[in-house]
């Protein structure tokens, strides 16, 4: 067997940085497995984009959810991160990270600061809030997980 667990997406750079894409988790079974060779793949989601400095109301989409997984017992798309909002030059709301089947995403804040890091498998990191202050980086996403059920 060959196993790879995807890393969480990296934090976006401070000052208009896009969040990192989550890694791909795979489980590959060699030809000697019952049913032949097979690779199960779970994709990582995309990082969210930033909102530029300004004074008008504006929103920014959260990172897109991962594409559909393949060859697993359950194959599904990943959830998207939540959007961020700028209400004025001094008020806004950072986006929440994407949730996973194992965890909610990290929560965005309306106070200036770096984004929260996700703590549950597959959850996305929150966006940062930079409200009339220096730029801040978003939070880091959590790594993937691989659960293997063995029956005899």
């Amino acid at each position: 067997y060959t196993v790879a667990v995807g890393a969480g997406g990296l934090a976006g750079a401070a000052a208009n940085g896009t969040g990192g894409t989550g890694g791909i988790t795979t489980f590959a079974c060699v030809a000697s497995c019952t049913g032949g060779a097979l690779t199960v793949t779970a994709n990582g989601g995309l990082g969210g984009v930033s909102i530029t400095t300004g004074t008008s109301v504006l929103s920014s989409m959260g990172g897109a959810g991962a594409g559909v997984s393949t060859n697993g017992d359950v194959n599904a798309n990943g959830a998207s991160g939540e959007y961020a909002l700028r209400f004025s030059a001094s008020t806004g709301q950072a986006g929440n990270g994407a949730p996973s089947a194992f965890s909610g995403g990290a929560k965005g804040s309306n106070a200036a600061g770096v984004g929260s890091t996700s703590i549950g498998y597959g959850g996305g990191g929150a966006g940062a809030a930079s409200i009339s202050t220096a730029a801040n980086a978003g939070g880091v996403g959590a790594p993937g997980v691989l659960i293997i059920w063995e029956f005899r």
Side-chain angles (χ1 to χ4, degrees):
Y1 304 105
T2 304
V3 174
V5 176
L10 298 176
N16 301 321
T18 298
T21 297
I24 297 173
T25 297
T26 59
F27 173 81
C29 184
V30 296
S32 62
C33 294
T34 303
L38 177 71
T39 299
V40 178
T41 303
N43 298 299
L46 300 178
V49 297
S50 66
I51 296 177
T52 58
T53 303
T55 58
S56 62
V57 175
L58 186 64
S59 66
S60 175
M61 297 301 293
V68 68
S69 300
T70 58
N71 297 322
D73 291 333
V74 177
N75 297 300
N77 289 324
S80 297
E82 294 185 16
Y83 56 87
L85 295 168
R86 180 181 69 213
F87 302 113
S88 69
S90 61
T91 59
Q93 174 66 44
N96 294 335
S100 75
F102 300 97
S103 165
K107 299 299 177 198
S109 174
N110 63 355
V114 298
S116 300
T117 296
S118 182
I119 59 171
Y121 295 125
S130 297
I131 303 170
S132 300
T133 63
N136 293 301
V140 176
V145 65
L146 180 64
I147 300 172
I148 300 170
W149 296 85
E150 183 177 4
F151 297 95
R152 293 184 177 234

